[in-house]
Amino acid sequence: MIVSVTSQGNSLIMGSVCSCKSDHYADENTTRRGFSSRYFKFGSSKWLESSPFLPSGCCQFRRRSCPSLMELCIHKICEDIDKYHSFSMLPSDVSQLIFNHLVDSCSLSDNCIEAFRDCALHDMCMGECTQVKDNWMDVISSQGSSLLSAYIAGTEVTDIGLSLLRNCSNLQALGLDCCDKISDGDIKHITGFSNLKYLGFRKCFGLTAEAMKSLSGLAKLVKLDFERCPLIHGGFIHLEGLTILESLTIRGCKCITDSDLKSLAGLGSLKELQISCDNITNVGVSYLRDLNKLVVLNLEGSDVTALCLDYLTALTSLQSLNLNRCHLTDVGCEKFSALSNLKELNLGFNNITDTCLEHLKGLTKLEGLYLDSCRISNDGLAHLAGLANLKALELSDTEVGSDGILQLSGLTKLEDLNLSFTSVTDNSLKTLSGLTSLRSLNLDTRQITDSGLAVLTVGLTGLTHLDLFGAQITDSGAKYLSYLKNLQSLDLCGGRLTDAGVKNIKDLSSLMFLNLSQNPKLTNTALEYLSGLTSLVSLNVSNSSITNDGLQYLKPLKNLRSLYLEFCGVTVCEIKKLQAKALRNLARYRPQ
């Protein structure tokens, strides 16, 4: 492959480039829970995952020891992006790579968006960029019939900007988030996109039931998202003709009532329904009983009781049920035993006890069970011993202790286990060390010490995620981490580490997320030890003794996208210098 690029933007590129896929309406790969706190634990990693709008395989540079020539060229172009006025002469696949990389590094701006005019791009996902304005929409529109997907999150986009998209007649996926300046009247422009398969209006506070009339003719829609749109009550009657709709999300729409669900009763192709509205009761659930293709149902936060299970048992295809925060008690929980096809069940934050678990022991197909913050004790875990297919088990903030862990010894397929805020101690960790399939383990509890970590690392060498937030880990215990060569995520916030302990982490070359905050004795030497972890995407060393002088050791971490150094001797000015000179992918940092 030969690449030549001049500062005037004239380019010659020969060789193969990746092709862009057009099937972007597939479900997002969302995580159940990320790392929960913005400052002291990692923020959600969802922002790092591929968007449903971006073509898989060509939006992210692959992490490996030697980048391809194409990757190096794209990276160099993006470093010098202000030198180029137009990429329209490049092959569209190459322009697409440049655009995606700018989005991925949060570098797309008013200064460079114009260079993508008339590039025949297939995908224009703006990622986290919220500065999209009508002039950006004009550039998007210039892609014409080539454009297959667009994602715009911008409060500055108006009716004029939306109307410009009418030139993009082949759009298959369109996301409009936080676009509050678009009026009901001009939503009508969407009716011309007859090929749309995905349509999203997240946090569009101006979208009303009246505007939803414009969606009635979009017969090819497969996925529709109205998350946090507060004015759409009564508009679902306009969706009755969307006969091939497979996925509908109305999470966080507090205006939704039972009557709205009645309009969904005829959508026989629905496979996924995300409701999560506190006005929904058992009556609303009763309207769903004929949706016999439904595979995923999320009723989180709804005002339902176990009586709703009478209707759900008619859904023979149901595999995933979320009843988190639904105020359930043990009363009526015997009806869970009829949901024998369930693979995932979330009962977190309900007032259920061990009695409820007794009725789950026949759900032998379960692969994920989430019981966080329930009144579950050691005795209740005995009812789970026969769920041999379990891969994920959430027991955080329950009454489970060391004796209960013994009941888990037969769950040999378990990959993800959360025991945060329980009374589990070092004494029970020998049982966990025998669960060799474990990949993710959360032990966010102060009862865990160096001794427990030593036991764990004997059998759990395949771990990729380990959360020891708040555990009493010292330099002596940190030496056992060197056995966990596959770790991609490690949380040691609030431990008792010094620089000597961090030295044991320096060879964990697969680490992408590392949280060492609340270890006040860490100094610039700790950053020197971490300088070889070039796969790091997120690093938190807040509340430590690190100063500006230590920032030099972060220069090799080219993949770093979040950096937290709050309450250290580090200034915003020096972080910005580091970002400009060495860490071009750094998108989030504190202090800021």
Side-chain angles (χ1 to χ4, degrees), residues 246-265:
E246 295 182 2
S247 176
L248 176 63
T249 296
I250 48 178
R251 282 195 304 255
C253 301
K254 295 185 179 297
C255 61
I256 300 300
T257 66
D258 292 338
S259 61
D260 291 303
L261 298 194
K262 189 173 184 179
S263 298
L264 306 181

Side-chain angles (χ1 to χ4, degrees), residues 316-331:
T316 55
S317 297
L318 194 63
Q319 296 181 18
S320 177
L321 177 61
N322 187 348
L323 294 172
N324 187 286
R325 302 179 188 272
C326 286
H327 314 293
L328 296 181
T329 66
D330 292 336
V331 177

Side-chain angles (χ1 to χ4, degrees), residues 429-532:
L429 298 187
K430 186 175 181 179
T431 299
L432 296 185
S433 68
L435 301 178
T436 55
S437 293
L438 274 180
R439 295 296 177 264
S440 176
L441 179 60
N442 283 50
L443 288 169
D444 188 343
T445 171
R446 287 196 172 275
Q447 285 92 322
I448 303 302
T449 69
D450 294 343
S451 298
L453 183 56
V455 172
L456 279 177
T457 54
V458 171
L460 302 185
T461 54
L463 278 179
T464 58
H465 165 73
L466 180 59
D467 185 343
L468 292 168
F469 185 99
Q472 304 300 297
I473 305 300
T474 69
D475 293 343
S476 296
K479 66 184 179 183
Y480 299 108
L481 294 171
S482 61
Y483 297 108
L484 304 179
K485 300 296 186 183
N486 297 311
L487 272 186
Q488 297 177 17
S489 171
L490 176 62
D491 195 323
L492 287 171
C493 171
R496 301 176 180 178
L497 296 181
T498 70
D499 297 336
V502 175
K503 189 175 182 179
N504 295 295
I505 299 173
K506 69 182 182 65
D507 293 323
L508 300 179
S509 58
S510 295
L511 271 181
M512 296 174 64
F513 301 90
L514 179 60
N515 187 0
L516 297 174
S517 62
Q518 300 289 314
N519 287 285
K521 293 184 179 180
L522 297 185
T523 71
N524 295 336
T525 301
L527 293 189
E528 185 176 6
Y529 289 141
L530 299 177
S531 63

Side-chain angles (χ1 to χ4, degrees), residues 299-352:
L299 293 169
E300 181 173 357
S302 300
D303 190 19
V304 298
T305 68
L307 180 62
C308 76
L309 299 176
D310 286 335
Y311 310 118
L312 298 183
T313 53
L315 304 178
T316 55
S317 297
L318 194 63
Q319 296 181 18
S320 177
L321 177 61
N322 187 348
L323 294 172
N324 187 286
R325 302 179 188 272
C326 286
H327 314 293
L328 296 181
T329 66
D330 292 336
V331 177
C333 280
E334 66 275 4
K335 297 168 185 175
F336 277 113
S337 61
L339 300 175
S340 57
N341 288 322
L342 280 185
K343 292 186 176 181
E344 184 176 60
L345 177 61
N346 190 335
L347 297 174
F349 294 90
N350 282 300
N351 196 28
I352 59 173

Side-chain angles (χ1 to χ4, degrees), residues 6 10 40 350 417:
T6 69
N10 299 320
F40 303 122
N350 282 300
L417 178 62

